[in-house]
Amino acid sequence: MRDVVLLITCSLDGFIAAEDGNVDWLLPDKEYDFDAFMHEVDTLLMGHKTYEQVLGFGKWPYEGKECYVFAKQHPYPEDERVIFSDDPVGTAENLILGTGGAIWVVGGASIISPLLNKNLINELRIVVQPIVLGKGIPLFRDIKKSIKLELMGTQAYRSGIVELVYRPGA
């Protein structure tokens, strides 16, 4: 079974983006070893809004990785770098039975909750930024039941960013 890992950044008050989807409040974190994490990962799952943000980066940052983008409707031109789907749960269920590296749930909120509700995420790496937004897009929404978490580790950085690592089912 492959690991399904949610690695996502949020504000101290639990928002992953401003109300309009903007993430310009994120602090760059030069201390976090993102390359080491990406070495563990060979498949990415992301919602269509996250995909749109990634397209705005210019160069595609996930070369060589299998990438699934989830949208109820498919308003995008074909993109050989991604596989479009409307079923994050079914896709994740099929992928975890295969072989390979970890599966990274990149975001956003529209795919995180269905995956958590079906117990398909087995590690949560929540990177908390030292900012209170007050409102925005919440990290978790439409969660159907309480999910107990076991703290596996923490890492605080000089920038004020803190990473919390949990496993569900404690």
Side-chain angles (χ1 to χ4, degrees), residues 28 34 44 51 70 73:
F34 187 70
L44 289 77
Y51 172 66
F70 301 98
Q73 291 144 345

Side-chain angles (χ1 to χ4, degrees), residues 11-24:
S11 64
L12 183 60
D13 52 348
F15 296 109
I16 58 174
E19 285 182 306
D20 64 359
N22 190 306
V23 292
D24 63 358

Side-chain angles (χ1 to χ4, degrees), residues 14 20 23 45 51 54 63 69 75 78 81 95-96 112 127 154 170:
D20 64 359
V23 292
L45 308 178
Y51 172 66
V54 171
E63 269 324 307
V69 174
E78 287 304 311
R81 301 169 299 191
L95 288 170
I96 61 173
I112 293 168
V127 179
T154 62

Side-chain angles (χ1 to χ4, degrees), residues 77-133:
E78 287 304 311
D79 183 340
E80 71 280 351
R81 301 169 299 191
V82 302
I83 300 162
F84 292 101
S85 173
D86 64 354
D87 184 12
V89 170
T91 300
E93 287 173 335
N94 288 331
L95 288 170
I96 61 173
L97 297 176
T99 58
I103 300 165
W104 176 23
V105 179
V106 182
S110 66
I111 67 167
I112 293 168
S113 294
L115 294 174
L116 273 175
N117 285 332
K118 292 290 189 174
N119 301 314
L120 292 171
I121 297 176
N122 56 342
E123 182 174 290
L124 294 88
R125 296 184 187 187
I126 311 300
V127 179
V128 180
Q129 295 265 330
I131 187 170
V132 175
L133 293 179

Side-chain angles (χ1 to χ4, degrees), residues 39 87 146:
H39 187 69
D87 184 12
S146 295

Side-chain angles (χ1 to χ4, degrees), residues 29-33 127 155-163:
D29 188 0
K30 294 178 174 67
E31 300 167 293
Y32 189 82
D33 192 354
V127 179
Q155 177 68 50
Y157 298 95
R158 287 184 304 261
S159 62
I161 293 171
V162 177
E163 180 184 28

